[in-house]
Amino acid sequence: MTFDLLDTGTGDRTVLVLHGGAGPRGVAPVVDHFAPRARVLAPMHPGWSGTPRPDWCTGVDDLALAYLDLLDDADLADVAVVASSFGGWVAAELAVRDRGRRLGKLVLLDAIGPEIEGHPVRLPQPPPGAPGPDPADLAAMRAYAGDRLADPKLLRRLARVRNPALLIWGEDDTVVPPPFGKAYAAAFADARFEVIPGAGHMPALQAPGATFDLIDDFLA
């Protein structure tokens, strides 16, 4: 699969940054944070911003396998993954399928993915007059994630993931509230769960200081 890829920064560490439904702008602070000291790979999921999506690319697993191929082809190891929202789902699927042991630590920011009883994913509703997500981007996300925006099998599969994981959640997230994140974190074999006061679904944008302090401490 071909996709748009931002390959920037330099350093001994490689960080794979995966965006959510808002597209690359939603993780721009993450890219900017790491680029001065690490190589940053930030793909755009096919279908976002008008980019082509192959007809056969219809699931989150297709994205995960494509990004694992990217890491394999570059012979990268101990790759830190920082992923937001829908990108967090892709990161979780990467970890489940990482037979080549390409990944290191995982950071999931208000990630969706598993089906958790009592906590359906609720897409954000912008205030009247405010710009919302691009309808074409939302259509691309549903092409991968389905109408339920969840995989009932994912939670069980995460128990086999041995990568250390940090799940960071905005206290005021209305898309997937903190109890969703706490259950998500509990499914990993080795995970921490942290809540950011005053942040919503995008803590790297809404509370960057507190968010990056947690991330830097975890990845150190």
Side-chain angles (χ1 to χ4, degrees):
M1 183 197 305
T2 59
F3 44 81
D4 288 359
L5 175 67
L6 174 64
D7 185 346
T8 188
T10 183
D12 295 334
R13 160 170 279 160
T14 300
V15 181
L16 177 65
V17 178
L18 301 176
H19 69 78
R25 66 180 176 84
V27 292
V30 179
V31 173
D32 292 343
H33 180 76
F34 284 107
R37 52 201 165 92
R39 182 184 183 187
V40 179
L41 302 176
M44 182 186 296
H45 311 317
W48 265 259
S49 298
T51 57
R53 178 181 59 83
D55 291 341
W56 54 263
C57 192
T58 57
V60 178
D61 56 341
D62 294 316
L63 286 178
L65 292 171
Y67 298 151
L68 284 174
D69 287 345
L70 170 68
L71 303 183
D72 282 340
D73 291 346
D75 195 23
L76 297 172
D78 197 28
V79 176
V81 183
V82 182
S84 174
S85 189
F86 172 75
W89 182 354
V90 180
E93 295 284 0
L94 277 166
V96 168
R97 290 166 170 76
D98 184 25
R99 301 296 184 244
R101 299 292 185 261
R102 295 294 177 183
L103 305 184
K105 294 182 176 180
L106 309 173
V107 179
L108 307 187
L109 305 170
D110 293 74
I112 67 171
E115 185 174 275
I116 295 177
E117 186 176 356
H119 296 290
V121 177
R122 302 184 187 281
L123 292 178
Q125 299 296 321
D134 187 320
D137 291 350
L138 291 180
M141 184 168 67
R142 289 191 183 280
Y144 292 110
D147 289 336
R148 296 166 70 182
L149 302 175
D151 179 357
K153 298 179 181 179
L154 179 58
L155 211 63
R156 172 177 53 82
R157 292 172 175 166
L158 292 175
R160 294 186 60 84
V161 174
R162 294 295 181 261
N163 308 72
L166 171 65
L167 281 78
I168 296 176
W169 236 257
E171 182 180 40
D172 302 324
D173 189 350
T174 58
V175 177
V176 276
F180 180 103
K182 189 172 183 180
Y184 204 160
F188 286 89
D190 179 8
R192 283 172 48 195
F193 177 67
E194 300 283 353
V195 174
I196 303 290
H201 189 60
M202 304 182 76
L205 286 170
Q206 297 155 343
T211 299
F212 288 121
D213 282 349
L214 286 170
I215 293 174
D216 290 344
D217 178 67
F218 176 69
L219 296 181

